[in-house]
Amino acid sequence: MAPDDLRSLAEHWLADDPDPATRAELTRLLDGLPGTEAELRDRFAGPLTFGTAGLRGRLRAGPNGMNLAVVTRAAAGLVAWLAEQGGEGPLVIGYDARHGSREFAERTARVATGAGREALLLPGTLPTPVLAYTVRALDAVAGVMVTASHNPPQDNGYKVYLGRGLGGPAGDGAQIVPPADAGIEAAIRAVGPLAAVPLGEPGTLVEDKIIEGYARSAAGVLSEGGPRDLAIAYTPMHGVGGSTLAAAFAAAGFPPLAVVAEQAEPDPEFPTVAFPNPEEPGAMDLLLALAEARGADLAIANDPDADRCAVAVPRPGGGWRPLRGDELGVLLGDHLIRRGVPGTYATTIVSSQLLGRLCAARNVPYAETLTGFKWIVRAAEELAFGYEEALGYCVAPSLVRDKDGITAALTVAELAAGLKAEGRTLADRLDELAAEFGVHATDQLSVRVDDLAEIGAAMRRARTAPPRTLLGAPVATTDDDVNNVLTFRTASARAVIRPSGTEPKLKAYLEVVEPVAGSDVTAARERAADALVTLRREIAAALGV
């Protein structure tokens, strides 16, 4: 694009931008030309794509960012698409505490009412699972959640849920899937000048009793009368899950939680963590310190929008061990199977193979899907449980047809309290599963890039020259070109490689299965850990990273 064309494109955008703050931001960049040309080119390289469940990007002016202009256009396109589908009912809108979230939610409501659609706005900053619950509870046509989940502070996003028959037989209240995403994106592109988009009233606040109903219903996921004696340390990680989770735990009969004071209140800057994701190194340090100081039985973290749940357990010799997503996933699945919860148990192609082997041994229906909860919750109409290794768990599909870090936290607390009453721990139950099925040790090789072309180059290298052996055993390769997933598998190891759907990352999901000789689970874990180190090195070499 020639410099004059770039300037013309930016000036055209500027004239249509409804937000004085981003207009001033873009004006400064225009005034700074030619020194700001690279920055302008990045912002006008193309629009944010309506991908995994909606939009996500940096808060900044221009089409390649999250701002009021982009949100107005997205809302107008979504409302137009809903009308084209003949969808009836209100649009429910929620938002977290990130920069811009409330403004984006309120603009969405006004675009909906301006188009003649009833808009229901959640009464304050609330978790994503509450929005997903409300879509089903109010029989809404769709829902919008303004959040970037666990992304850095400079990001925001726009997730869309479909309801009232638009989500498919198993997808009412679930995130969008193709072809709805492409249809909504086409409708967004068809929106004309933003000045011509009618803005109506601010919408109606959802009654508090609906939000209170979520907490009561979440508590109702647990078995009545079970043990509740458990000391829990908790952090919402500067997010919006704290008060809702506390209400749900109180309704379930658990004692008050010890909460990390520095992270208890919502803060869009996430000042105590380098990256507000419980999976990231150091993110749970304050929680684990509190758990140690209080002598807790269990440590629980939500991510900022509380749709994910992370858990750590005490080590026998002192200190704490965070559970991997796959470990918590199989613990929850096993617990629900033992409780006799009927239906299909599901996970993804990149998660551990242990849940599938557990289901086969227990004669329970099992399904495997592509990554993402939009696929997991559609694995079966009668879904009992679904999880993905990235700390996402759906333990109550009839309540929330998405991952829900609050009901997951309740369920693992129920399991831990029951084990404590028997003089056992979550770690003991993991050892029992390992003795029965072998140690299934998982890890992830995650490569963050500045240039997305690096991801494509790494995938090409692995496809062109795949490894012939891994851990000394011959490799079978499966290449899913359509979904850009590459799998290397041996009798005892597996690596699934794919680009992230939400972040500029290339991910390789690694798993080693080590049989347990006799009852020596510890030795098997040590062998598996050593094998994972080698497997990680071999896959990194295949990718050239």
Side-chain angles (χ1 to χ4, degrees):
M1 185 189 307
D4 286 348
D5 292 337
L6 177 62
R7 175 181 283 277
S8 176
L9 191 63
E11 288 175 344
H12 179 75
W13 179 273
L14 184 64
D16 201 35
D17 190 338
D19 186 349
T22 47
R23 285 203 307 271
E25 181 185 330
L26 197 54
T27 298
R28 285 194 298 272
L29 289 174
L30 283 168
D31 291 343
L33 286 171
T36 55
E37 182 177 337
E39 175 71 13
L40 271 175
R41 284 189 180 280
D42 184 42
R43 293 176 185 235
F44 286 87
L48 287 181
T49 55
F50 206 82
T52 303
L55 302 168
R56 192 175 294 185
R58 286 182 59 189
L59 287 158
R60 59 179 185 174
N64 193 18
M66 283 294 296
N67 52 66
L68 198 62
V70 165
V71 166
T72 303
R73 193 170 296 278
L78 171 62
V79 170
W81 181 85
L82 292 172
E84 290 170 4
Q85 308 309 305
E88 298 180 354
L91 176 66
V92 180
I93 305 151
Y95 58 98
D96 65 9
R98 284 178 177 268
H99 294 297
S101 288
R102 179 172 178 173
E103 292 81 0
F104 295 163
E106 290 174 344
R107 175 54 64 103
T108 300
R110 293 190 64 197
V111 170
T113 58
R117 173 82 58 180
E118 182 183 8
L120 303 176
L121 198 64
L122 294 190
T125 57
L126 285 162
T128 293
V130 174
L131 181 279
Y133 163 83
T134 306
V135 170
R136 292 173 67 87
L138 296 182
D139 196 22
V141 67
V144 169
M145 182 69 193
V146 182
T147 181
S149 191
H150 56 276
N151 275 37
Q154 63 269 24
D155 288 1
N156 213 326
Y158 199 83
K159 296 178 70 170
V160 175
Y161 294 79
L162 295 181
R164 193 175 282 194
L166 294 180
D172 273 0
Q175 298 176 40
I176 57 172
V177 293
D181 54 354
I184 295 169
E185 186 167 16
I188 292 170
R189 288 197 303 267
V191 175
L194 296 184
V197 174
L199 300 178
E201 296 300 313
T204 304
L205 291 183
V206 173
E207 295 181 359
D208 287 338
K209 66 180 182 182
I210 300 295
I211 312 307
E212 294 162 1
Y214 167 80
R216 288 194 303 273
S217 298
V221 168
L222 308 188
S223 298
E224 289 187 19
R228 296 290 188 267
D229 177 22
L230 198 70
I232 302 171
Y234 170 71
T235 179
M237 205 159 288
H238 298 296
V240 298
S243 60
T244 303
L245 182 135
F249 269 71
F254 285 97
L257 286 66
V259 180
V260 176
E262 301 94 326
Q263 299 174 339
E265 296 301 319
D267 189 331
E269 291 297 320
F270 308 107
T272 67
V273 291
F275 206 96
N277 180 352
E279 289 184 291
E280 294 289 331
M284 292 174 63
D285 284 356
L286 289 175
L287 171 66
L288 301 186
L290 177 65
E292 184 73 19
R294 295 292 185 91
D297 300 308
L298 191 67
I300 298 175
N302 285 138
D303 67 338
D305 71 328
D307 65 350
R308 288 173 170 82
C309 175
V311 166
V313 296
R315 296 183 188 276
W320 287 75
R321 178 171 83 88
L323 298 183
R324 297 196 66 85
D326 283 313
E327 290 178 310
L328 183 53
V330 76
L331 282 171
L332 291 171
D334 173 65
H335 176 59
L336 295 173
I337 290 171
R338 286 169 173 264
R339 273 181 42 189
V341 177
T344 297
Y345 289 68
T347 189
T348 73
I349 59 172
V350 305
S351 299
S352 171
Q353 301 162 91
L354 181 52
L355 181 63
R357 291 166 183 171
L358 173 68
C359 288
R362 307 290 190 262
N363 197 28
V364 168
Y366 171 74
E368 206 167 274
T369 74
L370 294 172
T371 55
F373 260 84
K374 61 185 181 182
W375 300 118
I376 293 171
V377 298
R378 290 177 170 87
E381 287 191 46
E382 190 180 0
L383 183 69
F385 169 70
Y387 95 91
E388 62 182 1
E389 47 69 45
L391 307 181
Y393 312 94
C394 176
V395 301
S398 63
L399 185 70
V400 173
R401 205 77 177 176
D402 195 17
K403 56 184 174 292
D404 181 349
I406 293 173
T407 52
L410 283 163
T411 306
V412 72
E414 175 186 54
L415 170 59
L419 289 169
K420 181 182 177 182
E422 299 170 358
R424 300 158 63 218
T425 67
L426 294 178
D428 293 332
R429 184 62 194 136
L430 283 172
D431 284 350
E432 291 166 7
L433 290 167
E436 183 176 359
F437 297 101
V439 171
H440 286 63
T442 59
D443 197 4
Q444 188 180 126
L445 172 63
S446 182
V447 182
R448 186 176 290 274
V449 301
D450 293 323
D451 182 358
L452 292 177
E454 297 175 38
I455 292 177
M459 294 293 287
R460 283 193 297 275
R461 284 191 291 270
R463 285 188 166 107
T464 303
R468 295 186 177 182
T469 63
L470 290 172
L471 303 178
V475 172
T477 300
T478 304
D479 191 352
D480 182 350
D481 279 325
V482 174
N483 296 294
N484 202 13
V485 178
L486 187 60
T487 304
F488 301 134
R489 187 188 302 270
T490 73
S492 62
R494 187 190 65 168
V496 184
I497 305 163
R498 60 177 282 273
S500 169
T502 57
E503 300 177 85
K505 284 183 178 180
L506 176 64
K507 293 184 176 181
Y509 304 83
L510 313 177
E511 181 170 32
V512 171
V513 182
E514 185 67 36
V516 174
S519 59
D520 196 348
V521 173
T522 300
R525 290 197 189 283
E526 290 172 354
R527 292 194 301 272
D530 290 342
L532 272 177
V533 172
T534 302
L535 181 61
R536 183 186 181 93
R537 184 171 60 247
E538 292 176 332
I539 294 300
L543 292 168
V545 297

